[in-house]
Every structure is written in structure tokens, then in C-alpha cells.
């Protein structure tokens, strides 16, 4: 079985998690989901992923805080983060803080696929 | 000489009489057979030795003078006679008179040889002098009532010699009727007292004109010492008199003018002594008559010094004026109690030479106050138009000084109720206003306080929307008391300040309301994006699942297919709304972002038109397009697509099915897009409003939409350094939107 690109969708909107997860699964990605930044950190410590899809506004730990937390953990610091947002200003802040790409709400599954493929590590991209 | 009892007595009398005559003379006193003679000077002039003649009979003494002897004989017989005779080449005037008591006579003979010639010349000279001097002489022999006038006097009276009766009565007839009684009295008194006299009287000339004569006269006695004749001279002083009258008239006019004018007037000489002043001057300067009587300018200045606002400046100016005689000046003198005088000063000249200075003072307090008040109000209106009310009220407090006092404070009630001092101002050295507001002000009425010793304090309420929102308080300088005019001005100032406060409150609320709206919309547009994202993914997923077939198939019947289609269309429309709202709030916050790249505007327009084709077809509008010139530029393609799409959809929406024309032209500098319809059109007064957010030229309930499209379009075009405008001939006559974009957009 070929090794698929592992993605982690971090969003407090359950519908969005599921719909995007469904779409990405159909496109052949390995998909996991987390409710917020803390949830994501816990899951990543157990199982690292190739690309993070992160909503910015979430309870407990928001997207920008998650990005800061990732930078502090050497094993996780290199994971590319695709930020999902409805807010242009916050999106720009996220890019300035090191986000790899922006997905502006609303978006199509195709937009997400393109962003993941662009930023996933090379070996994974070939594998996908 | 009568009834002489001895020679000695006769001599004495003769000497006295002869002393009056002077010059060479001979006197013979004949008493029966005796003769008494006396003389000084050359007693032998006529061959008579006065000393030896004494006691000799007249016939012997006058043996060689038969004419004189004849006169003596006649006189002894009671006949007075005169004679002029010659002897040895001399002229002799002789007169013989019977003695008043009878029984003797006197003979007087005077050598008039020289006198006659000189008299003739002197008379000529006198006559000439009288003519030149306009002086006439007269003589009235009262005993004979004979009046003698000189030629010039006839000329003064305008009479010929034969036209004057030459009596006292005919003289009196010529006197001006009103002056006759007075004239008669003067002459009577002169006779009675035998004193010289001077008086003026008027005469009526033959031609009816009235002249004024100045007369000097004296009384001459007869031989017995009784007043017998009046002699004198008259001077026609009519012109002088007129001139004097004129001078008096001028003086009286000047006095009346000085006393009736509102101006206080001082005239000072070059030494600073007051030579003239009017009653108003004393009143204005509050100078009493004792002080005025000193006529001392510096005493007066000392008197007012303490009342002056700037005594040093005033005194310096006074010294300057005193030193510089030629200066004409206008200055203002301010008093501590608020009074203001205006002073005009000009040199007084006499025949071109400066002899002093005239100063006129006018109390211009009322005028200054009106003007000052008007300036305060005008200035206040100007500063209160500013948006920021607190600095404006601070400026008003400063403006009100010194017209309304030496210090000013503005208090407003804060939201929590207590007064808050938001502005203060004070003139240099003035005491600041005290805290706390008087009770009447809190009740909405002006308050005036301060006893005669305390400083006068005026507070007026700031009434906003019927509520006391604060107060303005003024403190007067120590000498000043507030009056009704001050209160009126302060209240007017407070009304304007209150209006500004009210406007500021309204503006603040309006700004807050707008900010709340924008914030709400920003939040809403962001919040909507979350569910929109899920909805979009769900609908796309659903549509993608059924769309490839576009027909009912397993698990999706015809009805379900229609429902999916409807969901798809509604989701797209909703997405457009959310995008529009989002863009509008981003534009308002100046957060629109652009990705500039070289692009072809023609391509964008064609794409937009091709997408709009179905809607165009449904509208029934016929589309014509014209493309010309270079149409590429450095722009944001997606944003320009938004602009074109908005203009085209508006044309379709409001075009009423009538033809739509699209013209696109490029030149080296810019590209120009015109979208013209012949539909609803826009009223002139709405043409600017349609570019503002949430505005539409027509009522939204007919046409829907958020009314943000043109606002976003303008934000995009202007961000590209371009312009967007609309032209319309009016409602129902279509609209033409014109977009101009520089081909190299601003970075």
C-alpha cells in the first residue's frame, strides 16, 4: 500500500472538519482531525503529519498559538501549515508568522488539494 | 472883569484869563479913566508898554492905535466888537467887550500873524487827516445852539453843508431813533459834570444806512468858567463794530458748540496749560471746577491716573504730544472700569504758527462694547464650528477676554453628574475663576454675584436640549461691574457654545452609530464565512456527485435533481452576498488587498460578458460593444473583474430591456471603459450617493442587493489610481458609467 500524505485538519467547526476530511479522503489523502490547537498538539505528539490544515479562530488554543507551539517543538517545527480563514487581516498575520498558504473561506476541496500538494514534503508528494 | 476896587485885583483876574490864551498878547483894562494892562512876552509888539500903560487913560495908551481905541469906546458904550487889524506888518485880532457889570470894558488883542498862516495850513492838514482816518470833528456852542462840523463829519453823515441845520436838534434828528435818548443823556451829563466823555451811538445817513460812531468830547467853559461849548471828534466805527460783532458771534457760536457737543474738548497752549475746555470735558474726566480752575494739564492727568488701564502708556503719549507740536493723532484711552475714550488731537494754528493743541475726547464705550461683543460672537461661531468641542470651548474662553472679563472658565456636567472644568482662560496677572457653580445657573438662569468690594462674577448656563449641560463663568477686573449688556452677550455666547456641545454630542453619537454598524457588519461578514465554508463544501460535494450525469439516475430522481440545483444556485447567491459584504467592510477599513500583474482588460470584459450572456438574454437588452487601442495594464485581474461584473449586472438590472452599449478604449496612458444603458437613470442629487456604502439609486425593495457593489467598485478603481463616474440625463433617461484606469497602476 502506497504511503499517503498525512494531513491533520484542525477546526472547531465539526461540519467543516468532516466535509473537508471526506473530500480529502476521496482525493486519496490520509486524514485526521482535531478540535483545536491543544487537541492537535496531543495528536501530533502521538503521530506526526505531513501537512496541517488549521483554522485560525478556535477555543482553548487558536491557530496562531498552535503555530507558536509547533515552533517550540523541534520535532513538529517543520510541518507546513495551511491556514483556513475568513479574515484577510488575520490571514496576513498568519503568513507573516510562517504559514505556508492561505485557504480563504469558502473554498473548494480542489483548492485545499492544490495547497497540500504544493507544500507537502517532496517524498510524500511523489508518493501521493 | 467888573467893578474893580483896586488895580491888584484886576491884574490877578487878567493874568488868569491871559494864561489861557498864551502867545504874544496885550490886555487893556479900561475902567473909567484908568487903564490896566498886563502881558508876558513881547509887550511892546504893538508899541504898548504894558507896565507903563497901567493906570494910563486908554486914549493915551492907544494913541497910535485908532482902530483899537474905537473898539474900546464902543465897548464902553456897551457894544462888543471885534476887529482884525495890521500894524507894522503884523496881524492883530482884537475884541472889546463891555464889562458884564457895566462901567468898563476889556480889550483883548492877539498877534495872529503866524497863527493865521499856520492855522490855514493846519486846517488843511487836519482836514486831510480826518478824511484819511474817517474821523470828523465838531463843536457845539450851547449858548448859541450852533453846531460846527468838519468836512469829514459831513461826509460821515452823508450830508452836504446846506442839508444840515447846524443845531443840536438837527444833530439829534440824525441819531438813530433808539439811541437818541441815550445820546441826550450823555450830553446832558457832560454839561452837568463838565467831564470829558466817550460814547458810541448810531446815526442814520441821508441814504438811510445806519453807521456806528465812536465819539469823544469835552466841555469847554465860557469866560466865567460855566460850561459853554462841547468839542469833540467822531470816528465811524461801523466796520470795526461789525467786525467786533462778528467776532462775538463766532465766539458765542464756538461756546455754544463746545457746550452742546458730546465730545469733551480741551485746548492747551504749548506749555501745557489749559486755555479752553467745555463742560462735557469736565464731566467726562470727572473734574471739578476747582481742579479745572488750575488749568494745569498735569494736575488733571494726576487726577485720572489711577483710573487708567495703562497710565504709563498714556503719560508717555502725553509727553510725546507736548514735545511734538505738529502731530495730529487719534488714539484710544482705556479705563480700568471698562470705559473707553477716543481722543483726536490736532495742533492749533494762528496764522500758520502752532500756538497750542486741541484735544477732543469721545466716550466710545458703548460702541467699543458692541464691536467687542460682535467680534467675540463672530470668533466664537468660527471656532465652535470645529469638530472637536473641547479645544473649541477653550478657544471661546480665550476669545471672550477681555471683553467679558479678566478670567473665564467653562464647566460641563460629565456623564456621572458632577461639573467638570473643560476650559479656562485668564488675562496675564488676573485671578482665575473659582470652582463651583451658583444655584441659579444650575436652575438654568444667569447668575450675577459680587458685592461692591468683591469682584463681579457672571455665570451663564449652557443649555443643551432643554437641560443644563454646564456653564460659562466670567470674572470682572476689580474696577468693573457687569451690566445687562454683558449678561446678554454672555448668554448669547453660551447659546452658541451649547449648540456646539449639542452638535458635538450628536456627531459623537452618529460616529458611534456608524462605527457600531461597521463593526457589526465586519463581524457578520466574518462570522458568515464559517458556515459558508461548510455549506460550500457540502453543496459542491453534493453537486459534484450528481452533476456529471445532469440527469436523474440511481438514488437521485428528477425532483431531487431540481432541489440540488436550487440549493446550488442559492448557495452561490449567498456566497456573492457574503463576498460583497466582506469586501465592503474590508474597503471601509482600507484592508482591500491587490495582486498586481500585467493583464488585458479586454479579455476581462469579454469573459464577464460571456458569463452574463444568459442574464442579458433574459433581460431582452441588445448589447453592442466596441474595443479600441491598447488595453493591457498592471492591475489586479480578479478585482477588475469584480468592477466590470458589477457595472454590467447593474446595466442589465436597471436597463429596462433597452439597448446596452459597452465601449473600451485604450491609449498609452490609460484605459477607459464606458457602460451605457437607456434605463432607469439616476437623479442628479443621487449621483454621488450611489457610490457610498448601503445606498442604491432606486428603492431596494424593487431590486434587491446590498447596495455595496458601486462602493466596492469605486474603492477598487481608486486603489488603482483611477476614477469612476456616472453621467445621467435624469431619471428614466439611462446612465453611463465611465471607468478610467492608468495603465501603470500605482504600486
Amino acid at each position: 500500500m502506497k504511503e499517503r500524505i498525512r494531513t491533520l485538519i484542525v477546526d472547531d467547526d465539526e461540519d467543516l472538519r468532516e466535509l473537508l476530511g471526506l473530500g480529502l479522503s476521496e482525493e486519496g489523502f490520509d486524514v485526521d482531525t482535531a478540535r483545536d490547537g491543544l487537541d492537535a498538539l496531543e495528536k501530533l505528539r502521538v503521530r506526526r503529519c505531513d501537512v496541517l490544515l488549521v483554522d485560525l479562530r478556535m477555543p482553548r488554543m487558536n491557530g496562531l498559538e498552535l503555530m507558536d507551539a509547533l515552533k517550540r517543538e523541534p520535532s513538529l517545527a517543520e510541518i507546513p501549515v495551511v491556514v483556513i480563514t475568513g479574515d484577510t487581516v488575520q490571514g496576513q498575520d498568519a503568513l507573516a508568522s510562517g504559514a505556508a498558504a492561505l485557504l480563504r473561506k469558502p473554498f473548494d476541496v480542489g483548492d485545499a488539494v492544490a495547497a497540500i500538494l504544493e507544500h507537502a514534503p517532496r517524498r510524500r508528494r511523489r508518493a501521493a | 472883569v467888573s467893578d474893580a476896587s483896586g488895580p491888584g485885583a484886576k491884574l490877578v483876574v487878567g493874568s488868569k484869563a491871559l494864561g489861557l490864551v498864551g502867545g504874544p498878547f496885550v490886555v487893556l483894562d479900561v475902567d473909567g479913566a484908568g487903564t490896566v494892562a498886563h502881558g508876558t512876552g513881547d509887550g511892546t509888539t504893538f508899541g504898548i508898554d504894558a507896565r507903563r500903560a497901567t493906570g494910563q487913560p486908554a486914549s493915551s495908551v492907544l494913541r497910535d492905535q485908532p482902530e483899537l481905541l474905537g473898539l474900546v469906546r464902543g465897548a464902553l458904550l456897551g457894544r462888543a466888537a471885534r476887529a482884525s487889524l495890521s500894524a507894522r506888518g503884523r496881524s492883530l485880532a482884537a475884541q472889546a467887550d463891555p464889562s458884564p457889570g457895566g462901567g468898563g470894558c476889556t480889550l483883548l488883542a492877539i498877534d495872529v500873524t503866524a497863527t493865521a498862516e499856520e492855522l490855514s495850513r493846519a486846517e488843511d492838514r487836519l482836514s486831510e487827516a480826518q478824511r484819511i482816518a474817517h474821523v470828523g470833528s465838531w463843536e457845539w456852542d450851547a449858548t448859541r445852539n450852533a453846531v460846527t462840523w468838519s468836512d469829514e463829519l459831513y461826509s460821515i453823515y452823508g450830508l452836504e453843508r446846506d442839508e444840515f441845520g447846524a443845531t443840536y436838534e438837527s444833530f439829534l434828528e440824525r441819531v438813530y431813533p433808539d439811541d437818541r435818548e441815550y445820546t441826550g443823556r450823555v450830553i446832558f451829563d457832560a454839561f452837568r459834570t463838565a467831564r470829558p466823555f466817550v460814547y458810541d451811538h448810531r446815526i442814520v445817513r441821508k441814504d438811510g444806512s445806519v453807521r456806528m460812531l465812536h465819539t469823544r468830547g469835552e466841555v469847554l467853559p465860557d469866560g466865567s468858567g460855566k460850561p459853554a461849548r462841547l468839542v469833540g471828534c467822531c470816528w465811524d466805527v461801523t466796520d470795526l463794530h461789525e467786525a467786533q460783532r462778528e467776532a462775538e458771534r463766532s465766539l458765542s457760536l464756538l461756546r455754544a458748540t463746545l457746550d452742546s457737543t458730546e465730545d469733551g474738548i480741551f485746548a492747551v497752549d504749548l506749555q501745557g496749560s489749559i486755555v479752553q475746555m467745555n463742560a462735557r470735558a469736565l464731566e467726562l474726566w470727572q473734574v471739578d471746577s476747582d481742579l479745572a480752575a488750575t488749568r494745569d494739564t498735569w494736575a488733571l492727568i494726576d487726577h485720572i491716573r489711577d483710573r487708567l488701564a495703562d497710565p504709563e502708556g498714556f503719560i508717555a503719549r502725553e509727553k510725546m504730544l507736548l514735545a511734538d507740536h505738529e502731530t495730529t493723532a487719534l488714539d484710544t484711552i482705556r479705563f480700568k472700569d471698562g470705559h473707553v475714550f477716543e481722543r483726536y488731537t490736532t495742533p492749533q494754528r494762528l496764522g500758520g504758527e502752532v500756538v497750542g493743541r486741541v484735544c477732543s475726547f469721545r466716550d466710545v464705550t458703548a460702541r467699543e462694547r458692541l464691536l467687542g461683543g460682535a467680534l467675540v460672537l463672530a470668533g466664537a461661531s468660527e471656532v465652535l464650528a470645529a469638530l472637536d468641542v473641547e479645544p473649541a470651548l477653550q478657544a471661546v474662553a480665550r476669545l471672550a477676554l477681555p471683553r467679558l472679563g479678566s478670567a473665564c472658565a467653562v464647566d460641563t456636567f460629565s456623564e456621572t453628574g458632577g461639573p467638570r472644568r473643560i476650559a479656562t482662560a485668564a488675562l496675564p496677572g488676573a485671578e482665575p475663576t473659582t470652582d463651583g457653580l451658583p444655584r441659579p445657573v444650575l436652575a438654568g438662569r444667569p447668575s450675577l454675584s459680587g458685592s461692591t468690594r468683591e469682584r463681579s462674577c457672571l455665570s451663564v448656563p449652557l443649555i443643551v436640549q432643554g437641560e443644563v449641560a454646564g456653564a460659562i463663568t466670567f470674572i470682572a477686573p476689580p474696577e468693573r461691574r457687569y451690566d445687562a449688556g454683558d449678561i446678554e452677550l454672555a448668554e448669547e455666547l453660551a447659546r452658541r457654545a451649547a449648540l456646539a456641545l449639542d452638535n458635538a454630542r450628536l456627531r459623537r453619537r452618529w460616529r458611534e452609530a456608524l462605527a457600531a454598524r461597521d463593526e457589526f457588519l465586519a463581524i457578520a461578514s466574518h462570522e458568515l464565512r464559517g458556515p459558508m465554508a461548510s455549506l460550500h463544501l457540502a453543496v459542491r460535494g453534493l453537486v459534484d456527485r450528481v452533476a456529471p450525469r445532469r440527469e436523474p439516475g440511481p438514488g437521485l430522481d428528477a425532483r431531487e435533481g431540481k432541489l440540488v440545483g436550487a440549493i446550488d444556485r442559492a448557495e452561490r447567491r449567498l456566497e456573492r452576498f457574503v463576498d460583497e459584504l466582506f469586501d465592503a467592510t474590508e474597503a471601509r477599513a482600507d484592508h482591500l488587498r491587490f495582486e498586481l500583474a500585467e493583464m488585458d482588460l479586454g479579455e476581462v470584459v469579454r469573459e464577464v460578458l460571456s458569463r452574463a450572456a444568459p442574464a442579458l438574454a433574459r433581460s431582452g437588452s441588445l448589447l453592442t460593444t466596441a474595443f479600441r487601442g491598447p488595453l493591457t495594464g498592471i492591475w489586479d485581474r480578479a478585482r477588475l473583474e469584480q468592477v466590470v461584473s458589477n457595472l454590467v449586472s447593474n446595466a442589465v438590472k436597471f436597463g429596462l430591456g433597452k439597448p446596452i452599449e459597452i465601449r473600451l478604449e485604450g491609449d498609452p496612458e490609460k484605459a477607459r471603459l464606458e457602460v451605457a444603458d437607456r434605463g432607469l437613470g439616476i437623479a442628479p442629487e443621487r449621483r454621488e450617493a450611489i457610490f457610498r456604502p448601503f445606498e442604491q439609486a432606486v428603492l431596494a425593495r424593487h431590486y434587491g442587493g446590498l447596495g455595496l457593489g458601486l462602493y466596492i467598485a469605486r474603492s477598487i478603481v481608486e486603489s488603482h489610481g483611477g476614477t469612476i463616474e456616472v453621467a445621467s440625463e435624469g431619471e428614466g433617461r439611462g446612465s453611463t458609467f465611465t471607468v478610467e484606469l492608468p495603465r501603470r497602476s500605482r504600486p
Side-chain angles (χ1 to χ4, degrees):
Chain A
M1 192 179 180
K2 68 177 179 182
E3 199 174 353
R4 293 183 298 169
I5 295 178
R6 275 190 221 141
T7 63
L8 177 63
I9 301 169
V10 191
D11 199 320
D12 59 331
D13 183 338
E14 189 183 347
D15 284 338
L16 192 119
R17 282 201 306 270
E18 281 194 9
L19 287 163
L20 182 56
L22 201 59
L24 291 179
S25 298
E26 283 179 356
E27 294 290 334
F29 292 95
D30 179 336
V31 177
D32 197 355
T33 62
R35 292 193 310 277
D36 57 36
L38 283 181
D39 193 16
L41 273 180
E42 279 171 25
K43 289 195 165 157
L44 285 170
R45 279 171 194 146
V46 175
R47 186 168 177 262
R48 202 179 178 281
C49 76
D50 298 315
V51 176
L52 271 165
L53 293 131
V54 179
D55 185 20
L56 282 181
R57 212 176 52 183
M58 293 177 293
R60 298 208 299 168
M61 180 186 280
N62 68 25
L64 290 175
E65 288 163 346
L66 172 60
M67 286 167 70
D68 282 348
L70 290 174
K71 278 179 210 155
R72 285 194 294 271
E73 296 200 22
S75 61
L76 304 176
E78 298 301 316
I79 304 174
V81 176
V82 174
V83 163
I84 304 169
T85 182
D87 188 314
T88 319
V89 176
Q90 283 188 12
Q92 295 300 322
D93 290 348
L95 284 177
S97 301
L102 281 185
L103 273 181
R104 189 165 166 266
K105 292 179 185 177
F107 57 92
D108 288 322
V109 173
D111 300 329
V113 170
I116 293 163
L117 288 180
E118 191 183 343
H119 294 287
R122 276 190 169 288
R123 55 181 181 85
R124 296 293 185 193
R125 248 180 280 168
R126 271 200 306 277
Chain B
V1 180
S2 65
D3 201 8
S5 52
K10 285 169 192 161
L11 270 176
V12 171
V13 173
S15 292
K16 191 174 176 189
L18 291 169
L20 288 169
V21 177
F25 65 89
V26 174
V27 173
L28 297 172
D29 189 0
V30 180
D31 182 15
T35 301
V36 176
H38 177 76
T40 60
D42 184 6
T44 62
T45 302
F46 298 102
I48 301 164
D49 186 332
R51 282 179 298 275
R52 281 195 299 177
T54 302
Q56 299 294 313
S59 54
S60 154
V61 175
L62 298 172
R63 189 175 48 238
D64 297 335
Q65 306 291 343
E67 289 105 327
L68 291 180
L69 190 58
L71 287 176
V72 168
R73 284 181 178 145
L76 287 171
L77 293 173
R79 288 197 305 272
R82 296 179 184 193
S84 296
L85 44 137
S86 298
R88 298 176 202 163
R90 310 295 298 176
S91 293
L92 201 65
Q95 180 167 343
D97 294 292
S99 293
C105 78
T106 58
L107 170 68
L108 177 67
I110 301 170
D111 181 343
V112 294
T113 313
T115 315
E117 289 163 9
E118 281 170 10
L119 192 63
S120 172
R121 278 202 302 277
E123 274 180 357
D124 285 350
R125 281 203 300 274
L126 183 63
S127 180
E128 181 67 9
Q130 289 196 350
R131 194 178 59 74
I132 291 168
H134 226 51
V135 173
S137 58
W138 51 264
E139 180 181 338
W140 178 41
D141 182 344
T143 46
R144 292 190 296 120
N145 190 16
V147 175
T148 315
W149 281 0
S150 70
D151 290 347
E152 186 52 28
L153 198 55
Y154 276 98
S155 164
I156 287 170
Y157 275 82
L159 293 174
E160 298 297 331
R161 283 196 173 268
D162 57 357
E163 288 171 325
F164 177 51
T167 62
Y168 174 70
E169 288 72 24
S170 58
F171 153 70
L172 216 52
E173 253 174 52
R174 303 284 162 185
V175 174
Y176 188 76
D178 289 356
D179 294 354
R180 274 179 204 153
E181 192 195 329
Y182 171 60
T183 301
R185 203 165 59 241
V186 169
I187 290 170
F188 176 77
D189 286 349
F191 261 106
R192 189 170 56 81
T193 60
R195 285 210 185 117
F197 60 96
V198 180
Y199 82 116
D200 288 352
H201 68 91
R202 287 168 292 177
I203 59 161
V204 182
R205 280 162 59 102
K206 193 172 78 179
D207 63 8
S209 58
V210 174
R211 308 293 291 178
M212 172 66 74
L213 300 191
H214 181 69
T215 300
R216 284 176 175 276
E218 60 184 315
V219 183
L220 294 182
D222 59 10
S224 65
K226 260 172 52 187
R229 290 184 299 142
L230 288 185
V231 294
C233 54
C234 290
W235 182 20
D236 185 342
V237 294
T238 311
D239 294 343
L240 185 70
H241 190 75
E242 275 305 308
Q244 196 179 341
R245 292 267 300 169
E246 187 53 43
E248 278 167 12
R249 265 198 297 276
S250 295
L251 200 59
S252 98
L253 183 64
L254 179 65
R255 289 221 173 90
T257 307
L258 285 180
D259 286 340
S260 65
T261 181
E262 259 297 290
D263 293 355
I265 294 171
F266 286 105
V268 294
D269 63 18
L270 295 182
Q271 284 70 48
S273 204
I274 298 168
V275 293
Q276 183 73 259
M277 67 189 114
N278 65 355
R280 179 68 177 146
L282 302 185
E283 187 189 333
L284 279 177
W285 290 99
Q286 297 171 30
V287 170
D288 61 28
S289 49
D290 287 348
L291 180 58
T294 66
R295 309 234 156 218
D296 181 353
T297 309
W298 294 106
L300 246 65
I301 290 173
D302 270 352
H303 172 65
I304 57 161
R305 180 188 196 114
D306 289 345
R307 283 183 275 143
L308 293 171
D310 174 21
E312 282 73 28
F314 178 78
I315 287 164
R317 282 204 304 281
E318 286 308 300
K319 285 182 175 158
M320 189 272 285
L321 286 174
L322 202 58
D324 183 359
H325 300 157
E326 298 285 341
T327 304
T328 291
L330 177 67
D331 65 347
T332 306
I333 300 164
R334 293 182 185 278
F335 292 82
K336 288 176 184 167
D337 66 359
H339 273 80
V340 184
F341 288 179
E342 199 171 76
R343 182 231 329 244
Y344 180 72
T345 172
T346 189
Q348 182 198 352
R349 288 174 204 278
L350 199 59
E353 192 191 344
V354 177
V355 296
R357 170 172 294 287
V358 176
C359 298
S360 77
F361 297 88
R362 179 172 300 185
D363 186 343
V364 293
T365 311
R367 189 192 74 191
E368 285 287 304
R369 290 176 54 151
L370 276 178
L371 194 65
L375 284 174
V376 166
L377 290 179
S381 294
E382 200 173 309
V383 298
L384 286 171
L387 290 177
D388 218 347
V389 74
E390 288 197 13
L393 287 173
Q394 180 67 55
V396 167
R398 280 196 302 270
L399 265 174
L401 308 181
R403 171 62 187 85
L404 275 169
S406 57
C408 175
V410 183
D411 297 283
T412 55
F413 293 114
S414 58
E415 305 293 324
T416 51
R420 189 169 68 90
R421 185 140 294 185
I422 60 167
T424 56
L427 295 181
E431 277 180 49
T433 47
T434 49
D435 287 338
L437 296 177
R439 198 176 295 275
V441 170
L442 300 178
R445 294 192 307 275
S447 155
L448 191 57
S449 61
S451 64
T452 47
R453 273 172 301 134
E454 288 170 342
R455 289 205 286 154
S456 192
C457 172
L458 172 62
S459 276
V460 285
L462 290 166
I463 298 173
V464 176
Q465 302 286 336
E467 303 272 323
V468 177
I472 309 183
T473 303
F474 303 97
I475 302 276
E479 302 78 7
R480 185 170 162 193
R481 305 280 115 196
Y482 286 120
D483 60 19
D486 295 323
I487 297 174
E488 201 178 313
L489 176 61
E491 285 191 299
E492 181 56 34
L493 192 63
R495 266 193 289 278
R496 294 183 192 206
L499 197 62
L501 273 179
D502 195 17
N503 285 340
R505 285 182 188 190
L506 288 175
R507 272 198 300 271
R508 195 168 63 235
R509 281 182 203 159
W510 174 69
R511 271 201 307 270
E512 283 166 2
L514 274 187
R517 183 195 72 183
D518 287 348
E519 194 184 351
F520 169 76
L521 289 174
I523 292 168
S525 70
H526 285 125
E527 289 300 319
L528 284 170
R529 299 192 84 80
M532 275 308 301
S534 299
L535 182 60
H536 182 79
L537 288 174
V539 172
R540 292 327 305 162
L542 193 56
V543 170
D544 286 350
R545 198 169 292 264
V546 300
R549 291 192 292 278
R550 285 278 174 211
E551 56 194 28
L556 196 69
D557 61 20
R559 189 167 168 278
E560 287 164 339
K562 274 191 175 176
L563 290 175
V564 169
I567 290 169
D568 185 24
R569 283 192 299 279
E571 193 272 334
R572 284 174 195 273
R573 225 165 74 216
L574 200 54
E575 209 178 306
R576 273 201 306 279
F577 280 166
V578 173
D579 277 346
E580 200 174 301
L581 197 56
F582 184 80
D583 284 346
T585 56
E586 294 285 276
R588 207 159 163 73
D590 226 2
H591 285 156
L592 281 183
R593 284 171 194 279
F594 298 94
E595 285 169 27
L596 302 179
E598 177 146 4
M599 53 160 285
D600 186 336
L601 189 57
E603 225 170 73
V604 168
V605 173
R606 279 189 201 95
E607 274 176 31
V608 169
L609 289 178
S610 113
R611 274 207 303 277
L616 257 172
R618 280 197 299 278
S619 76
S621 289
L622 185 69
L623 176 73
T624 54
T625 55
F627 294 70
R628 203 171 55 189
L631 300 172
T632 52
I634 311 289
W635 298 310
D636 183 317
R637 186 187 171 104
R639 290 300 190 186
L640 289 193
E641 212 177 291
Q642 248 181 299
V643 173
V644 176
S645 173
N646 178 265
L647 295 182
V648 170
S649 71
N650 279 348
V652 171
K653 197 161 150 189
F654 302 120
L656 302 178
K658 293 177 181 166
I660 293 169
E661 288 168 67
I662 292 177
R663 291 177 289 274
L664 185 56
E665 279 177 24
D667 63 32
E669 275 80 43
K670 62 182 185 297
R672 175 189 170 93
L673 171 69
E674 276 184 19
V675 179
D677 68 63
R678 297 179 196 174
L680 280 180
I682 300 156
E685 67 275 11
R686 299 280 303 151
R687 272 172 216 158
E688 185 51 31
I690 58 169
F691 291 105
R692 293 200 288 263
F694 311 108
E695 304 236 20
Q696 272 189 324
V698 291
L699 290 173
R701 64 173 173 270
H702 291 295
Y703 292 92
L706 294 175
L708 294 171
L710 285 172
Y711 170 65
I712 295 164
R714 184 163 76 171
S715 300
I716 292 169
V717 169
E718 288 180 353
S719 295
H720 279 84
T723 57
I724 181 166
E725 285 168 358
V726 66
S728 174
E729 304 228 335
E731 285 179 271
R733 305 180 71 172
S735 317
T736 300
F737 284 85
T738 304
V739 173
E740 283 193 355
L741 291 166
R743 292 185 55 208
R744 290 238 164 241
S745 178
R746 267 190 261 164

